[in-house]
Amino acid sequence: MTARILIVDDQPDIRKLLKLTLQHLDDAEVHEAENGAEGLRMAQDIKPDLMLLDVMMPGALDGYQVCEKVKKDPELGARTKVILLTARAQKEDQEQGLKAGSDAYLTKAFSPLKLLDLVDNMLGRGN
Amino acid sequence: MQPAATATNPLITLLDLVDSPLLLFNPEGQVVFTNRAAKRMEARPGMALPGDPNVRQLVQQIAQNKSVLRLDMVVEVNTDQGTTELLCQCIPKPIAGLVAMAVSLAPSSAVVTQTSCANGAAPERLSLQQIVGLIAGDLIKPIQAVLEHTQLVSATHPSFAEAVQTLHQRLERLGDLVAVFGEDVLIGDERILMPDIVRAVCQSLTPLARAKGVAFILEGDREDLPPVYGSRKLILRALQECLGNAVSHARPPTQANQSAGIRVGFTSSGHHLILNVANLGVLDAQALTRQSESIFRAAPMSNGHETSDTTPAAVMQIGLPLTHRILELHGGRLRIENDNGEVDVMLELPTGAPLKNTHHLDLLQAQIYAEDLSTLMARSRSRSTT
């Protein structure tokens, strides 16, 4: 079954980099949003299986806030896995991510192989 | 010129997206790929580096999987503007038979300083921050000792205790001033919820507000306001200066049932969070209550002593440029509007990642991608054959 993945990041180059990396997945449909509010709207619309969410985004919602709203959404909460992607590597940042309900936390700079493995794992396709 | 197979490979496109200049060498030491960032460099590393015998030797050793002691080297290249030094950092193992190298301008001045220190000579010149760091290190212990003793005599000598406290606050403020005007300003990426920090500042200003008969009114301090990212300590300092100044300039009430109101309004607009600090003038108790349910009222006066930190000129001389600079460092700005004598102060702070040099992260990301490149290529190949 085709997996729907939503990338939410304000940096276009990072979105491209993630999209190119995700091309190595079998059966995946990748969508993009450039800020938290747009990401949340798109998530409610396309109901993704997985979201790759940047933490420090400008606008009305940052990554933690989007994650919290997704996880509290009755339609998305159970089905949408969330990977927070951030340069913030402190323990308390990761705790904040878990508090927001994220399923995984990937620190930048990240390995594309690790990202693909994590995504496969989140989508239940792990070996 | 780049070989067609390399140029059309989508994985090579990944390297083109990386902000750091990157080169790929074949085992003979010839450049077979130059990414977009490297092509933009004035020093033209793709043309200049293959001609350097040390670069060629290093590339050949890595291509042959020989262990090398140092993977980085500084290479001098000629440009239109003269000579430039490039720092060349290689990935330790070949990737699909190619050797990846990240290139950046060499931090020549740092090298000179390190060399002179290593030789035992005094560094050429200390930065302002280094000087203040030394002074702070020298003063911290005696100041702490004075503060401890002051606590013991605060009941019998309240004005002395207050003077010492004020002196301590002024020294801290000078430290913050130097921190933001120094040569190498570091802004953090702490997640800051502005309503929380404003409440903390209002509480810290309680003695001054109480003495002036001032009450703070917070408006729009919703929990779902976007956070800002940066230095909590410096944002706290900017707000202390701004609100402290507003309290100092508030018109004192003339009647017992009145307070001077200072409104702090929060607005989220586009990519910015805006704090509006306005002096509402003198209001009676009922009007103050009507203004907002989230009113922060100063605690009742207990000992009748006024703080000495009320000289508007003293507050403004350092406070205004300090606040300006802190907001500027966070990518924000300070706007002051004077409408019929009523001063309206707007503090604008961007939401999202702080403005800073992410070169190190980009370089690291490039290195990690380069290291994973051959495995990704193998994945691609196995996918296309099945």
Side-chain angles (χ1 to χ4, degrees):
Chain A
M1 208 175 82
T2 304
R4 269 194 292 267
I5 302 175
L6 174 59
I7 299 167
V8 190
D9 199 307
D10 59 305
Q11 286 181 275
D13 279 0
I14 297 283
R15 288 203 304 273
K16 273 188 202 169
L17 201 64
L18 288 168
K19 208 172 171 182
L20 279 165
T21 307
L22 295 177
Q23 281 180 0
H24 294 268
L25 288 171
D26 291 318
D27 251 349
E29 181 186 297
V30 182
H31 300 260
E32 294 174 56
E34 63 176 35
N35 61 54
E38 190 193 343
L40 187 63
R41 269 197 306 275
M42 277 184 81
Q44 283 158 344
D45 189 29
I46 65 170
K47 310 220 170 6
D49 300 289
L50 176 71
M51 282 177 85
L52 288 172
L53 201 52
D54 180 33
V55 169
M56 290 186 279
M57 282 185 293
L61 300 167
D62 75 348
Y64 293 131
Q65 287 169 316
V66 175
C67 180
E68 218 170 288
K69 286 187 188 292
V70 165
K71 289 296 176 181
K72 280 183 183 163
D73 187 297
E75 279 194 88
L76 298 173
R79 68 165 292 158
T80 304
K81 302 277 184 192
V82 176
I83 300 175
L84 286 174
L85 199 59
T86 175
R88 294 154 56 85
Q90 301 296 315
K91 197 176 162 225
E92 47 273 31
D93 299 324
Q94 300 196 18
E95 282 169 2
Q96 172 97 39
L98 288 174
K99 212 173 120 191
S102 72
D103 298 281
Y105 196 94
L106 195 61
T107 309
K108 292 175 187 171
F110 57 88
S111 146
L113 294 174
K114 270 191 188 163
L115 174 68
L116 288 174
D117 287 346
L118 186 59
V119 168
D120 271 338
N121 191 270
M122 288 283 142
L123 295 174
R125 297 168 167 184
N127 295 324
Chain B
M1 205 170 74
Q2 298 181 6
T6 323
T8 54
N9 191 319
L11 292 165
I12 292 298
T13 316
L14 288 174
L15 295 181
D16 235 358
L17 289 174
V18 175
D19 279 346
S20 305
L22 280 170
L23 305 176
L24 288 181
F25 290 83
N26 67 14
E28 286 76 45
Q30 292 161 333
V31 173
V32 293
F33 172 75
T34 310
N35 81 345
R36 206 170 51 188
K39 283 177 190 161
R40 281 199 298 259
M41 286 184 88
E42 269 182 32
R44 296 180 186 175
M47 308 280 280
L49 293 178
D52 189 283
N54 293 326
V55 169
R56 210 165 38 241
Q57 192 189 1
L58 177 65
V59 167
Q60 283 167 353
Q61 283 176 332
I62 294 172
Q64 290 162 20
N65 267 319
K66 287 183 182 169
S67 57
V68 286
L69 285 176
R70 289 203 63 172
L71 290 160
D72 58 346
M73 61 168 69
V74 175
V75 181
E76 205 171 78
V77 297
N78 293 318
T79 68
D80 295 342
Q81 272 76 41
T83 308
T84 304
E85 286 187 333
L86 293 179
L87 175 64
C88 308
Q89 294 171 290
C90 283
I91 308 297
K93 288 179 184 168
I95 301 147
L98 302 174
V99 176
M101 177 188 278
V103 186
S104 58
L105 288 176
S108 319
S109 54
V111 173
V112 171
T113 310
Q114 279 168 9
T115 311
S116 56
C117 289
N119 291 342
E124 285 176 1
R125 193 180 163 190
L126 289 173
S127 71
L128 189 57
Q129 275 193 311
Q130 285 172 316
I131 294 167
V132 172
L134 290 172
I135 295 171
D138 218 31
L139 288 180
I140 280 174
K141 276 192 176 176
I143 288 175
Q144 278 174 344
V146 171
L147 284 171
E148 278 168 23
H149 283 94
T150 308
Q151 280 175 353
L152 297 174
V153 298
S154 60
T156 51
H157 298 82
S159 54
F160 170 71
E162 195 177 291
V164 171
Q165 196 60 43
T166 304
L167 187 63
H168 179 228
Q169 284 166 1
R170 293 281 163 90
L171 284 170
E172 275 189 339
R173 189 188 201 202
L174 283 177
D176 285 345
L177 184 71
V178 172
V180 295
F181 285 96
E183 291 163 7
D184 186 21
V185 176
L186 294 171
I187 295 293
D189 62 358
E190 293 169 277
R191 189 172 188 260
I192 304 163
L193 298 171
M194 291 304 282
D196 289 354
I197 212 162
V198 168
R199 283 188 206 104
V201 171
C202 289
Q203 266 170 347
S204 74
L205 288 169
T206 296
L208 181 61
R210 191 178 56 206
K212 297 277 287 184
V214 170
F216 293 105
I217 298 162
L218 305 191
E219 280 183 0
D221 53 332
R222 306 186 325 265
E223 271 182 21
D224 61 351
L225 281 172
V228 297
Y229 288 89
S231 162
R232 183 184 301 275
K233 182 174 177 275
L234 292 179
I235 294 284
L236 195 70
R237 166 61 64 199
L239 285 168
Q240 271 169 346
E241 296 299 334
C242 188
L243 292 179
N245 187 52
V247 173
S248 299
H249 284 83
R251 271 174 288 169
T254 51
Q255 292 174 28
N257 66 341
Q258 287 180 328
S259 282
I262 292 173
R263 183 187 62 210
V264 186
F266 299 81
T267 323
S268 170
S269 169
H271 289 179
H272 287 81
L273 186 70
I274 302 165
L275 263 76
N276 175 222
V277 181
N279 195 328
L280 297 176
V282 176
L283 303 166
D284 62 32
Q286 278 185 331
L288 267 175
T289 311
R290 275 201 307 274
Q291 280 289 335
S292 169
E293 286 181 6
S294 62
I295 186 166
F296 180 92
R297 198 183 290 275
M301 196 182 289
S302 57
N303 57 14
H305 285 287
E306 204 170 303
T307 63
S308 55
D309 191 8
T310 53
T311 319
V315 173
M316 286 304 286
Q317 274 168 12
I318 294 178
L320 190 63
L322 185 55
T323 307
H324 255 298
R325 176 70 174 149
I326 290 170
L327 295 180
E328 186 187 87
L329 286 170
H330 284 80
R333 62 176 178 157
L334 178 73
R335 277 192 294 154
I336 301 173
E337 287 167 11
N338 194 332
D339 185 19
N340 293 329
E342 289 299 327
V343 177
D344 226 2
V345 180
M346 317 267 258
L347 291 88
E348 276 188 29
L349 280 162
T351 50
L355 299 171
K356 64 179 178 184
N357 184 2
T358 55
H359 179 75
H360 172 70
L361 183 70
D362 292 341
L363 194 60
L364 195 61
Q365 185 70 73
Q367 284 182 330
I368 292 170
Y369 257 98
E371 279 170 5
D372 284 358
L373 202 57
S374 55
T375 319
L376 275 171
M377 281 171 155
R379 263 195 197 216
S380 279
R381 274 198 295 273
S382 70
R383 236 165 49 110
S384 60
T385 52
T386 51

